[in-house]
Coordinates of all heavy atoms in Angstrom, one line a residue:
A285 N 40.5 118.6 -122.0 CA 41.2 118.2 -123.3 C 42.6 118.9 -123.3 O 43.6 118.3 -123.9 CB 40.4 118.6 -124.5
K286 N 42.7 120.0 -122.8 CA 44.0 120.8 -122.8 C 45.2 120.1 -122.1 O 46.3 120.4 -122.4 CB 43.8 122.2 -122.2 CG 43.4 122.2 -120.7 CD 43.1 123.5 -120.2 CE 42.6 123.5 -118.8 NZ 42.1 124.8 -118.3
Y287 N 44.9 119.2 -121.2 CA 45.9 118.5 -120.5 C 46.4 117.2 -121.3 O 47.5 116.7 -120.9 CB 45.4 118.0 -119.1 CG 45.1 119.2 -118.2 CD1 43.8 119.4 -117.7 CD2 46.0 120.1 -117.9 CE1 43.4 120.4 -116.9 CE2 45.7 121.2 -117.0 CZ 44.4 121.3 -116.6 OH 44.1 122.4 -115.7
F288 N 45.7 116.8 -122.3 CA 46.0 115.6 -123.0 C 46.8 115.8 -124.3 O 46.4 116.6 -125.1 CB 44.8 114.8 -123.3 CG 44.2 114.0 -122.1 CD1 43.4 114.7 -121.2 CD2 44.6 112.7 -121.9 CE1 42.9 114.0 -120.1 CE2 44.2 112.1 -120.7 CZ 43.3 112.7 -119.8
D289 N 47.9 115.1 -124.4 CA 48.7 115.2 -125.6 C 48.1 114.4 -126.7 O 48.3 114.6 -127.9 CB 50.2 114.6 -125.4 CG 50.9 115.5 -124.4 OD1 51.5 116.5 -124.8 OD2 50.9 115.2 -123.2
L290 N 47.3 113.4 -126.3 CA 46.7 112.4 -127.3 C 45.4 111.8 -126.6 O 45.5 111.5 -125.4 CB 47.6 111.3 -127.7 CG 47.1 110.2 -128.5 CD1 46.7 110.6 -129.9 CD2 48.2 109.1 -128.6
I291 N 44.3 111.8 -127.4 CA 43.1 111.1 -126.9 C 42.8 110.0 -127.9 O 42.5 110.2 -129.0 CB 41.9 112.1 -126.8 CG1 42.2 113.2 -125.7 CG2 40.6 111.3 -126.6 CD1 41.1 114.2 -125.7
G292 N 42.9 108.7 -127.3 CA 42.7 107.6 -128.2 C 41.6 106.7 -127.6 O 41.4 106.6 -126.4
G293 N 40.8 106.2 -128.6 CA 39.6 105.4 -128.2 C 39.3 104.4 -129.2 O 40.0 104.2 -130.2
A294 N 38.1 103.8 -129.1 CA 37.6 102.8 -130.0 C 37.1 103.5 -131.3 O 36.9 104.7 -131.3 CB 36.4 102.1 -129.4
C295 N 36.9 102.7 -132.3 CA 36.3 103.2 -133.6 C 34.8 103.0 -133.5 O 34.3 102.1 -132.8 CB 36.8 102.4 -134.8 SG 38.6 102.4 -134.9
M296 N 34.1 103.9 -134.2 CA 32.6 103.8 -134.2 C 32.1 102.5 -134.8 O 30.9 102.1 -134.5 CB 32.0 105.0 -134.9 CG 32.2 106.3 -134.2 SD 31.3 106.5 -132.7 CE 29.6 106.9 -133.3
D297 N 32.9 101.9 -135.7 CA 32.4 100.7 -136.4 C 32.6 99.4 -135.5 O 32.4 98.3 -136.0 CB 33.0 100.6 -137.7 CG 34.6 100.4 -137.6 OD1 35.1 100.3 -136.5 OD2 35.2 100.3 -138.7
G298 N 33.1 99.6 -134.3 CA 33.3 98.4 -133.4 C 34.7 97.9 -133.4 O 35.0 97.0 -132.7
A299 N 35.5 98.4 -134.3 CA 36.9 98.0 -134.3 C 37.7 98.7 -133.1 O 37.2 99.7 -132.6 CB 37.6 98.4 -135.6
R300 N 38.7 98.1 -132.7 CA 39.6 98.6 -131.6 C 38.8 99.0 -130.4 O 38.9 100.1 -129.9 CB 40.3 99.8 -132.2 CG 41.6 100.2 -131.4 CD 42.4 101.3 -132.0 NE 41.7 102.6 -132.0 CZ 41.5 103.4 -133.1 NH1 42.1 103.1 -134.2 NH2 40.9 104.5 -133.0
T301 N 38.1 98.0 -129.9 CA 37.3 98.3 -128.6 C 37.9 97.7 -127.4 O 37.7 98.2 -126.3 CB 35.9 97.7 -128.8 OG1 35.9 96.3 -129.0 CG2 35.1 98.4 -129.9
K302 N 38.7 96.6 -127.5 CA 39.3 96.0 -126.4 C 40.4 96.9 -125.8 O 41.1 97.6 -126.6 CB 39.9 94.6 -126.7 CG 38.9 93.6 -127.1 CD 39.5 92.2 -127.3 CE 38.5 91.2 -127.7 NZ 37.3 91.0 -126.8
K303 N 40.6 97.0 -124.5 CA 41.5 97.9 -123.9 C 42.9 97.7 -124.4 O 43.7 98.7 -124.7 CB 41.4 97.8 -122.4 CG 42.3 98.9 -121.7 CD 42.1 100.3 -122.1 CE 40.7 100.9 -121.8 NZ 40.6 101.6 -120.6
Q304 N 43.4 96.4 -124.6 CA 44.7 96.2 -125.1 C 44.9 96.8 -126.4 O 46.0 97.3 -126.8 CB 45.0 94.7 -125.1 CG 46.5 94.4 -125.5 CD 46.8 92.9 -125.5 OE1 45.9 92.1 -125.3 NE2 48.0 92.6 -125.8
E305 N 43.9 96.7 -127.3 CA 44.0 97.2 -128.7 C 44.1 98.7 -128.6 O 44.9 99.3 -129.4 CB 42.7 96.8 -129.5 CG 42.6 95.4 -129.7 CD 41.2 95.0 -130.3 OE1 40.3 95.7 -130.2 OE2 41.2 93.9 -130.9
V306 N 43.4 99.4 -127.7 CA 43.4 100.8 -127.6 C 44.8 101.3 -127.1 O 45.4 102.2 -127.5 CB 42.3 101.4 -126.7 CG1 42.5 102.9 -126.5 CG2 40.9 101.1 -127.2
I307 N 45.3 100.5 -126.1 CA 46.7 100.8 -125.6 C 47.7 100.7 -126.7 O 48.6 101.5 -126.8 CB 47.0 99.9 -124.3 CG1 46.1 100.3 -123.2 CG2 48.4 100.0 -123.9 CD1 46.1 99.3 -122.0
Q308 N 47.6 99.6 -127.4 CA 48.6 99.4 -128.6 C 48.5 100.6 -129.5 O 49.5 101.1 -130.0 CB 48.2 98.1 -129.3 CG 48.6 96.9 -128.7 CD 48.1 95.6 -129.4 OE1 47.2 95.7 -130.3 NE2 48.6 94.5 -129.1
Y309 N 47.3 101.0 -129.8 CA 47.0 102.1 -130.7 C 47.7 103.4 -130.2 O 48.4 104.1 -131.0 CB 45.5 102.3 -130.9 CG 45.0 103.6 -131.5 CD1 45.3 103.9 -132.8 CD2 44.3 104.5 -130.8 CE1 44.8 105.1 -133.4 CE2 43.8 105.7 -131.3 CZ 44.1 106.0 -132.7 OH 43.6 107.1 -133.2
V310 N 47.5 103.8 -129.0 CA 48.1 105.0 -128.5 C 49.6 104.9 -128.3 O 50.3 105.9 -128.6 CB 47.4 105.5 -127.1 CG1 46.0 105.8 -127.4 CG2 47.6 104.5 -126.0
L311 N 50.1 103.7 -128.0 CA 51.5 103.6 -127.8 C 52.3 103.7 -129.1 O 53.4 104.2 -129.2 CB 51.9 102.2 -127.2 CG 51.5 102.0 -125.7 CD1 51.9 100.6 -125.3 CD2 52.3 103.0 -124.9
E312 N 51.6 103.3 -130.2 CA 52.2 103.5 -131.6 C 52.4 104.9 -131.9 O 53.3 105.3 -132.7 CB 51.3 102.9 -132.6 CG 51.3 101.3 -132.7 CD 50.2 100.7 -133.5 OE1 49.5 101.5 -134.2 OE2 50.1 99.5 -133.5
Q313 N 51.6 105.8 -131.3 CA 51.7 107.2 -131.6 C 52.6 108.0 -130.5 O 52.9 109.2 -130.7 CB 50.3 107.9 -131.6 CG 49.4 107.2 -132.7 CD 48.0 107.8 -132.6 OE1 47.8 108.9 -132.9 NE2 47.1 106.9 -132.2
C314 N 53.0 107.3 -129.5 CA 53.8 107.9 -128.4 C 55.3 107.9 -128.8 O 55.8 106.9 -129.4 CB 53.6 107.3 -127.1 SG 52.0 107.6 -126.3
K315 N 56.0 108.9 -128.4 CA 57.5 108.9 -128.7 C 58.2 108.0 -127.7 O 59.3 107.5 -128.1 CB 58.0 110.4 -128.6 CG 57.6 111.3 -129.7 CD 58.1 112.7 -129.5 CE 57.7 113.6 -130.7 NZ 58.2 115.0 -130.5
E316 N 57.6 107.8 -126.5 CA 58.3 107.0 -125.5 C 58.2 105.5 -125.9 O 57.1 104.9 -126.0 CB 57.7 107.2 -124.2 CG 58.4 106.4 -123.0 CD 59.8 106.8 -122.9 OE1 60.2 107.9 -122.5 OE2 60.6 105.9 -123.4
K317 N 59.3 104.8 -126.1 CA 59.3 103.4 -126.5 C 59.7 102.5 -125.3 O 59.6 101.3 -125.4 CB 60.2 103.2 -127.7 CG 59.8 104.0 -128.9 CD 58.4 103.8 -129.4 CE 58.0 104.7 -130.5 NZ 56.6 104.6 -130.8
D318 N 60.2 103.1 -124.3 CA 60.6 102.3 -123.1 C 59.4 102.1 -122.2 O 58.9 103.0 -121.5 CB 61.7 103.1 -122.3 CG 62.3 102.3 -121.2 OD1 61.7 101.2 -120.8 OD2 63.3 102.7 -120.6
R319 N 58.9 100.9 -122.2 CA 57.6 100.6 -121.5 C 57.8 100.8 -120.0 O 56.8 101.0 -119.2 CB 57.2 99.2 -121.7 CG 57.0 98.9 -123.2 CD 55.6 99.3 -123.7 NE 55.5 99.4 -125.1 CZ 54.8 98.6 -125.9 NH1 54.0 97.7 -125.3 NH2 54.7 98.7 -127.2
E320 N 59.0 100.8 -119.5 CA 59.3 101.0 -118.0 C 59.0 102.4 -117.6 O 58.7 102.7 -116.4 CB 60.7 100.7 -117.7 CG 61.1 99.2 -117.6 CD 60.4 98.5 -116.4 OE1 60.4 99.1 -115.3 OE2 59.8 97.4 -116.6
K321 N 59.0 103.3 -118.6 CA 58.7 104.7 -118.3 C 57.3 105.1 -118.5 O 56.9 106.3 -118.4 CB 59.6 105.6 -119.2 CG 61.1 105.4 -118.9 CD 61.9 106.4 -119.8 CE 63.4 106.3 -119.5 NZ 64.2 107.2 -120.3
I322 N 56.4 104.1 -118.7 CA 55.0 104.4 -119.0 C 54.1 103.8 -117.9 O 54.4 102.7 -117.4 CB 54.6 103.8 -120.4 CG1 55.5 104.4 -121.5 CG2 53.1 104.1 -120.7 CD1 55.3 103.8 -122.8
R323 N 53.1 104.4 -117.5 CA 52.1 103.9 -116.5 C 50.7 104.0 -117.1 O 50.4 104.9 -117.8 CB 52.1 104.6 -115.2 CG 53.5 104.5 -114.4 CD 53.7 103.1 -113.9 NE 54.9 103.0 -113.1 CZ 56.1 102.7 -113.6 NH1 56.2 102.5 -114.9 NH2 57.1 102.6 -112.8
M324 N 49.9 103.0 -116.7 CA 48.4 103.0 -117.1 C 47.7 103.3 -115.8 O 48.0 102.7 -114.8 CB 48.0 101.7 -117.7 CG 46.5 101.6 -118.0 SD 46.0 102.5 -119.5 CE 44.3 102.9 -119.0
V325 N 46.7 104.2 -115.8 CA 45.8 104.4 -114.7 C 44.4 104.2 -115.1 O 43.9 104.7 -116.0 CB 46.0 105.9 -114.2 CG1 45.1 106.2 -113.0 CG2 47.4 106.2 -113.9
G326 N 43.7 103.3 -114.3 CA 42.3 102.9 -114.6 C 41.6 102.3 -113.4 O 42.2 102.1 -112.4
D327 N 40.3 102.1 -113.6 CA 39.5 101.6 -112.5 C 39.0 100.2 -112.6 O 38.3 99.7 -111.7 CB 38.3 102.6 -112.2 CG 37.3 102.5 -113.3 OD1 37.6 102.5 -114.5 OD2 36.1 102.3 -113.0
R328 N 39.2 99.6 -113.7 CA 38.6 98.2 -114.0 C 39.7 97.2 -114.3 O 40.8 97.6 -114.7 CB 37.6 98.3 -115.1 CG 36.4 99.1 -114.8 CD 35.5 98.7 -113.6 NE 35.2 97.2 -113.7 CZ 34.2 96.7 -114.3 NH1 33.4 97.5 -115.0 NH2 34.0 95.4 -114.3

């Protein structure tokens, strides 16, 4: 946890479960607005 500036995930009530929705949610909280300077790392 100490390495993460922000931990974003789904809601317990089933809202915000799709990956695009989660990405939108965390991006809204990030200071970086230039998408060229952002990378996503995942396995699926």
Side-chain angles (χ1 to χ4, degrees):
K286 62 188 176 186
Y287 297 118
F288 282 85
D289 295 276
L290 171 67
I291 294 176
C295 302
M296 291 291 282
D297 64 1
R300 201 175 64 228
T301 58
K302 293 186 186 300
K303 185 51 66 92
Q304 184 181 2
E305 294 170 341
V306 177
I307 292 172
Q308 286 174 345
Y309 165 67
V310 297
L311 288 177
E312 284 168 7
Q313 300 175 70
C314 288
K315 289 182 181 176
E316 184 58 73
K317 301 305 175 189
D318 184 347
R319 303 278 165 111
E320 283 293 318
K321 295 183 178 181
I322 303 171
R323 294 290 182 274
M324 175 78 210
V325 180
D327 72 309
R328 297 297 311 276

